[in-house]
Amino acid sequence: MKQISILGCGWLGFSLAKSLLQKGFRVSGSTTSVEKISVLENAGITPFLIELSDVTIEGEIDSFLKNSEILIIDIPPKLRGNSSENFVGKIQNLIPFIEKSSVKKVLFVSSTSVYSDDNKTITEETIPNPDTETGKQLLEAEQLLQSNKKIQTTVIRFGGLIGEDRHPIKFLAGRTNLENPEGPINLIHQMDCIGIIETILQQDSKDNETFNAVAPFHPTRKEYYTQKAIELNLPLPEFNESKPSVGKLISSDKVEHVLGYSFAKNKL
């Protein structure tokens, strides 16, 4: 029975851990919340309280990684609002612990924010040019991991994450003067995130691969969010049509054709 460590059992990581348990994996999972230890334990996950910084790692990181062949890193940077953490420093601080552990493969959950918004179709061949601090630090963290000769790292750049309990229309409903009405959406359902990660694990590629992952469904922001508001009986959002729209369209062709993954239908 293969063991996997998931660093970051948040909204995606926790659901992923439960799915992997059902498929026969043993799973160690980390959280920064004391309250969540019992939640992980009750789900069958071996829980660890671990807090990363760019200087120290609090918690039993060696025990968390022990006997695992695979480490999934799913800790998004906290760079919104007044937060200005050194995310790259966190990853830099983590790498020596991975190097001396039993881990042979790392899956790093990244984001399509490593690409700028400049009105074109984006593939894995597109050179990233992030225009946000989150995107800049994620890209640097990707490069740190993939350039390390002792670690084989697959990077998965997810689009906007949605799920049964999480959808952007709940924050956009009734708002006015929203920008970018004609920009394409690049969203992905939690079910597909988990499915893609599990497909990568099954194929056990030995290369440092990078995958862009969004649902192959790209209506405009105005079209999509208006329709979602109607479906959920929420106030319609209003868009500012006076400014030109910009926006990248993320291609998931590599996920579909190289991995052979089929996206869940009607999940957006």
Side-chain angles (χ1 to χ4, degrees):
M1 191 190 297
K2 192 172 283 189
Q3 181 163 314
I4 292 179
S5 293
I6 300 179
L7 186 67
C9 283
W11 182 79
L12 174 59
F14 181 54
S15 293
L16 171 63
K18 290 191 289 184
S19 180
L20 290 171
L21 285 168
Q22 290 175 352
K23 290 175 172 59
F25 289 92
R26 286 180 288 123
V27 181
S28 295
S30 83
T31 178
T32 58
S33 166
V34 175
E35 293 75 21
K36 201 165 180 182
I37 289 291
S38 60
V39 176
L40 299 185
E41 204 163 28
N42 291 338
I45 303 161
T46 305
F48 289 86
L49 191 66
I50 294 174
E51 182 88 48
L52 265 68
S53 78
D54 57 338
V55 180
T56 62
I57 297 181
E58 295 180 14
E60 298 177 1
I61 187 69
D62 290 322
S63 298
F64 167 69
L65 296 173
K66 188 176 181 182
N67 299 326
S68 286
E69 294 178 40
I70 297 164
L71 169 64
I72 299 172
I73 302 175
D74 184 21
I75 47 169
K78 298 172 183 173
L79 294 168
R80 294 183 178 177
N82 295 323
S83 179
S84 58
E85 73 167 10
N86 182 358
F87 181 76
V88 175
K90 280 186 173 184
I91 300 302
Q92 214 157 16
N93 195 20
L94 174 65
I95 285 174
F97 292 93
I98 303 174
E99 289 177 338
K100 68 178 184 178
S101 75
S102 55
V103 170
K104 299 289 187 287
K105 182 183 180 75
V106 172
L107 267 70
F108 180 67
V109 175
S110 187
S111 162
T112 54
S113 64
V114 300
Y115 302 110
S116 61
D117 281 320
D118 51 7
N119 288 316
K120 65 179 178 181
T121 299
I122 303 290
T123 72
E124 289 81 359
E125 302 303 312
T126 304
I127 297 172
N129 182 28
D131 45 23
T132 66
E133 185 59 25
T134 294
K136 290 172 184 174
Q137 292 210 33
L138 279 171
L139 180 60
E140 197 173 336
E142 289 180 10
Q143 293 167 341
L144 263 180
L145 288 163
Q146 289 194 318
S147 64
N148 189 300
K149 298 292 189 289
K150 298 178 182 177
I151 305 168
Q152 188 243 316
T153 300
T154 295
V155 169
I156 313 169
R157 295 169 176 160
F158 287 130
L161 302 178
I162 66 169
E164 303 306 324
D165 58 344
R166 173 173 173 165
H167 200 287
I169 189 55
K170 294 178 181 177
F171 306 101
L172 298 177
R175 289 180 57 182
T176 59
N177 206 34
L178 294 174
E179 296 184 353
N180 218 19
E182 298 304 312
I185 66 158
N186 294 287
L187 301 176
I188 183 166
H189 196 278
Q190 184 189 65
M191 179 185 295
D192 283 319
C193 295
I194 292 170
I196 289 166
I197 290 170
E198 290 179 343
T199 301
I200 290 169
L201 295 178
Q202 287 164 7
Q203 296 193 4
D204 196 25
S205 165
K206 297 295 186 291
D207 298 322
N208 279 351
E209 288 275 18
T210 298
F211 294 96
N212 295 333
V214 306
F217 175 65
H218 304 278
T220 67
R221 282 166 48 81
K222 181 179 179 182
E223 179 187 356
Y224 177 72
Y225 289 122
T226 299
Q227 183 58 38
K228 274 294 157 187
I230 292 169
E231 285 177 19
L232 298 172
N233 198 27
L234 295 170
L236 299 185
E238 294 180 17
F239 288 84
N240 183 346
E241 309 271 1
S242 64
K243 297 180 182 178
S245 291
V246 296
K248 58 204 174 197
L249 189 154
I250 308 291
S251 167
S252 286
D253 282 358
K254 186 176 177 181
V255 164
E256 294 183 282
H257 298 137
V258 174
L259 285 183
Y261 181 78
S262 297
F263 284 84
K265 302 297 183 187
N266 304 317
K267 275 295 173 186
L268 293 190

